[in-house]
Amino acid sequence: MKRRICAGIGVAMLSAVSVSAMASTVGKVFVAGDGSDNIVVIDAHTNTVVATISTGAASAPHNLVASPDRRYVWATLKDAGQVAKIDALTNSLVATYGTGGYAPTHLAVSGDGQWLYVVNNTSDQVVKMSTTDGSIAASYDFGGGPSQAYGPHDVDVSPDGSQVWVVDEARNVVSVLDANLGAVQTDIAVGSRPIQATFSIDGSTAYVTNYDDNTVSVIDVATLAATGAFDMGGGGGMGPMGLVADPDGSTLWLSGTAGNTVHGHDLTTGGVSYAAIDGLIGAHGLDISADGRYLYTSIFYDAISTSRDAVAVIDADTATEVTRFRTTGAYNLHGLTYVAPVPVPGAVWLFGSGLAGLVGLARRRRG
């Protein structure tokens, strides 16, 4: 009997180890080093670089997005014409897949995690790829071809999963397609050189940064109509780039690449809710922690240490910079994404209780 109990405990302990390996207790920030062919991983608790992932020579990782279950991070490899699949728990490269076009810039994952949408910027197209094997299930060509300087830059999946929104910086529109990329349902006119889009927390509104106009367009998701725009402020020339909504839906945060700043826009009143956080030279990628406490932005040039490339951490409650640190091994930083901790499955805790019971039983038998 003792052997059976011990064997049971041994198997259970091995199971616990394997399940625990599937969990993470610390949030991470993945940052694309467009000029260094690698991605750095930051421990969001200690604000230190804990891993550097090589994406191959002449790959130029540009933008990133996490899968809905936070198990994987996907990155566009702009110069290689590929996307990279990264294990978010082990911080390792799983595979790369061709996107069927040139200069993939941004990407989005469907809500069920099965599909990846990627825009090939200079090929003027968007593709739908399987997240399982990277196969291309569908594509839509906007007609410009590889001869144009730039085209679609960003892509997002609508909150209900039925549409794909493509931000086209050449045509100054957001093209709304069905999820199978069969046809463009409508083109929504926005400002000059739109760069990125995001949806409000309740899914009713979309926001689009217009780099040349210094504005953010506001779109009604239900009617697919632009309802207005607001100025980023700063006297113009801020170059709004990245944007992310606070988890409570009260604030839209914007990075101003040309203005070297991050602004918070109060969505409840329509005004700029906080003074700008300045000195963030070339502020580009932008994301927020799951609890809404901290903002992370990639900056091209760290004026504090007079060296290239760093990540700034901003307290979203007080709109003040908390810290800034170099991303050693990565430069020409572009997109970044915060990946929340993956909780230990409830089964592990149930197992823990059972294991404690087995140990107690063994002790009683020995006594």
Side-chain angles (χ1 to χ4, degrees):
M1 180 62 71
K2 287 183 181 178
R3 277 201 299 266
R4 289 179 184 173
I5 292 174
C6 290
I9 293 173
V11 172
M13 288 178 70
L14 287 173
S15 299
V17 169
S18 62
V19 175
S20 296
M22 299 296 289
S24 171
T25 58
V26 177
K28 299 177 181 179
V29 181
F30 290 75
V31 189
D34 189 286
S36 53
D37 300 328
N38 55 36
I39 294 167
V40 294
V41 185
I42 297 166
D43 182 315
H45 178 66
T46 62
N47 289 326
T48 56
V49 175
V50 294
T52 301
I53 305 167
S54 174
T55 53
S59 57
H62 184 80
N63 195 251
L64 311 102
V65 65
S67 60
D69 62 2
R70 293 164 286 174
R71 184 68 175 82
Y72 298 101
V73 169
W74 291 87
T76 51
L77 306 182
K78 183 166 57 70
D79 288 356
Q82 298 175 330
V83 291
K85 184 178 185 179
I86 297 165
D87 189 314
L89 299 177
T90 62
N91 304 328
S92 59
L93 179 66
V94 176
T96 57
Y97 305 106
T99 64
Y102 299 101
T105 48
H106 286 211
L107 68 175
V109 183
S110 61
D112 60 10
Q114 295 184 12
W115 301 105
L116 188 71
Y117 295 93
V118 186
V119 286
N120 290 316
N121 184 259
T122 57
S123 294
D124 207 25
Q125 67 178 178
V126 57
V127 297
K128 178 181 182 179
M129 305 175 66
S130 166
T131 56
T132 302
D133 59 11
S135 58
I136 297 176
S139 65
Y140 186 87
D141 294 324
F142 293 95
S147 61
Q148 65 180 40
Y150 51 79
H153 185 267
D154 189 34
V155 60
D156 297 271
V157 179
S158 64
D160 66 2
S162 67
Q163 299 168 333
V164 175
W165 291 42
V166 177
V167 179
D168 195 318
E169 63 176 321
R171 298 179 185 84
N172 300 327
V173 298
V174 174
S175 296
V176 181
L177 299 88
D178 63 86
N180 291 320
L181 307 185
V184 173
Q185 297 177 356
T186 188
D187 285 329
I188 306 170
V190 288
S192 178
R193 199 181 174 191
I195 299 295
Q196 292 187 40
T198 194
F199 293 98
S200 60
I201 298 302
D202 64 8
S204 65
T205 308
Y207 301 96
V208 183
T209 51
N210 302 307
Y211 189 89
D212 289 347
D213 278 359
N214 200 56
T215 63
V216 177
S217 293
V218 182
I219 299 172
D220 185 301
V221 173
T223 63
L224 300 181
T227 59
F230 60 83
D231 195 275
M232 185 173 174
M238 293 292 101
M241 178 72 66
L243 72 174
V244 63
D246 190 285
D248 68 7
S250 65
T251 307
L252 182 69
W253 292 96
L254 307 162
S255 63
T257 300
N260 308 320
T261 185
V262 167
H263 279 198
H265 186 86
D266 189 337
L267 295 177
T268 63
T269 65
V272 176
S273 55
Y274 304 105
I277 302 98
D278 295 320
L280 307 172
I281 300 179
H284 195 105
L286 186 68
D287 207 354
I288 194 166
S289 59
D291 61 4
R293 178 65 190 280
Y294 295 107
L295 286 160
Y296 301 88
T297 186
S298 56
I299 53 182
F300 284 160
Y301 182 85
D302 184 356
I304 293 176
S305 63
T306 63
S307 55
R308 284 185 63 84
D309 299 302
V311 170
V313 183
I314 297 165
D315 187 317
D317 291 336
T318 62
T320 56
E321 185 175 345
V322 175
T323 188
R324 185 185 304 194
F325 53 92
R326 290 293 317 284
T327 52
T328 304
Y331 56 91
N332 195 14
L333 304 182
H334 276 69
L336 56 74
T337 189
Y338 175 88
V339 181
V342 178
V344 176
V348 173
W349 303 116
L350 291 176
F351 161 75
S353 300
L355 177 58
L358 287 174
V359 172
L361 175 61
R363 286 176 177 170
R364 286 196 298 272
R365 286 185 178 277
R366 284 198 295 270

